[in-house]
Amino acid sequence: MTFDLSAWCASELGSPVAEVLYERVSISTVSGVRLADGREVYVKARPDDGRAASCVAAQASLASRGFPCPRPLTPVVVAGGLAVHAEEPLPGGEMLLGSTPDVARRYAAVFARLMALLAGVSVPPPLPSPRWARWDHTDQGLWPAIGFLDARDQSAVPSLVTEMASRVRKRLLATSLPCVLGHADFEAQNLRWQDGEVLAVHDWDSLAWQPEAALAGAASGAFANVPPPGLVPVESSAAFLETYQLLRGRAFSAEELEVAWAGSMWTALHNARWEVLHGDPTPSGDAVREQGAERLRLANA
């Protein structure tokens, strides 16, 4: 796949690139550029899997209603096999670090506001959901198909991780709760704060289509994540879920609470597998080993 960044900017934004100020390559390639006309913009390009248009449309809707996220400057344009769009920079701020119940409540307030606004957004579901939130996949086996991971020696994955993931996935698949639009990578690394308030929420490529309780649960376990990711204490997930329900104005049913606790484990289990298959340190694996029994109990899994 080929992509000419400067030519794309000239075509879609009316000015070619004068200087590349920033570049990060992950699932998406993010380029911060200064255009020849002096504007600074961010351009995001990722393999076109059909999800991007819905994600960017939802992001644009939230930005237009005052939610703190970068405002898209273009719709998604497919170029060279990539889904590409540009957005305004939203610089500044710092990460809010920590995994205490007090920090959890602050993140939960933002997530509740985000989910309330997304409830009013009507876009085609951004499917498939991101791989770390894709417990509902139809691939063979326990995990969603990820070629470069599947090609590695799976015997390195601890049997405890596999067993827990199987139980969590079974609980998540057993629910008939409706799916909604939600942010599936709600982690400290993707938010910036200033003067005690959230300044920006990033990574809108990571919208998912899953039950609200599962998405809130996933956020309740992962909100503190900065590389390398782990899992917050059980009491912090509980504080997150309590605050989320309070601010959304309704209590979860018994089933929703179980699904939320199951959701709180899935991302960490995905990351635990990732760690060992890459030969990395194992904070996620250590955390699920320590907390797994209690979270499984709460999930009725």
Side-chain angles (χ1 to χ4, degrees):
M1 292 179 285
T2 60
F3 173 62
D4 186 323
L5 175 62
S6 185
W8 188 91
C9 289
S11 173
E12 303 300 327
L13 297 169
S15 183
V17 172
E19 183 181 2
V20 176
L21 306 172
Y22 169 87
E23 188 167 73
R24 179 180 63 82
V25 179
S26 183
I27 297 174
S28 301
T29 297
V30 181
S31 302
V33 302
R34 180 178 292 112
L35 303 179
D37 64 9
R39 287 179 292 164
E40 293 185 7
V41 302
Y42 277 78
V43 179
K44 297 188 175 183
R46 60 290 222 190
D48 179 28
D49 58 4
R51 293 172 32 82
S54 290
C55 292
V56 172
Q59 178 184 349
S61 176
L62 265 63
S64 72
R65 287 182 284 164
F67 188 79
C69 62
R71 183 176 68 88
L73 296 171
T74 70
V76 171
V77 178
V78 177
L82 299 173
V84 188
H85 84 280
E87 60 187 41
E88 288 183 339
L90 194 49
E94 299 178 343
M95 286 189 286
L96 173 62
L97 301 178
S99 60
T100 65
D102 284 344
V103 173
R105 294 184 184 98
R106 294 179 67 184
Y107 275 98
V110 179
F111 195 71
R113 178 184 172 194
L114 182 161
M115 292 294 288
L117 287 172
L118 283 177
V121 173
S122 180
V123 295
L127 295 170
S129 292
R131 60 196 184 206
W132 55 89
R134 201 184 305 162
W135 53 79
D136 56 347
H137 66 85
T138 57
D139 303 322
Q140 289 187 346
L142 172 61
W143 309 100
I146 306 172
F148 65 89
L149 275 190
D150 299 340
R152 303 188 180 205
D153 181 6
Q154 302 300 305
S155 68
V157 182
S159 59
L160 180 65
V161 169
T162 302
E163 177 193 352
M164 286 184 177
S166 180
R167 291 169 64 181
V168 165
R169 184 172 186 241
K170 182 178 179 180
R171 181 64 193 90
L172 289 166
L173 292 178
T175 188
S176 59
L177 294 170
C179 289
V180 302
L181 192 62
H183 200 301
D185 205 17
F186 191 77
E187 300 184 345
Q189 62 180 332
N190 291 325
L191 283 78
R192 294 295 182 271
W193 302 73
Q194 189 171 54
D195 299 327
E197 301 293 332
V198 66
L199 175 70
V201 179
H202 296 286
D203 195 18
W204 295 91
D205 289 359
S206 294
L207 290 180
W209 186 250
Q210 294 289 11
E212 179 184 6
L215 292 165
S220 81
F223 69 83
N225 278 350
V226 295
L231 180 63
V232 306
V234 171
E235 57 268 26
S236 296
S237 287
F240 186 108
L241 292 172
E242 179 185 6
T243 300
Y244 179 82
Q245 293 170 79
L246 178 66
L247 295 178
R248 289 290 278 131
R250 72 175 186 89
F252 280 169
S253 66
E255 179 184 10
E256 285 177 304
L257 283 172
E258 292 177 3
V259 166
W261 284 106
S264 80
M265 286 195 72
W266 181 261
T267 301
L269 290 162
H270 165 90
N271 290 337
R273 177 185 182 228
W274 179 283
E275 291 165 349
V276 295
L277 292 179
H278 282 79
D280 293 339
T282 59
S284 291
D286 295 344
V288 297
R289 192 175 300 109
E290 294 167 3
Q291 301 182 30
E294 177 63 7
R295 288 180 183 267
L296 288 170
R297 183 189 71 78
L298 291 165
N300 193 25

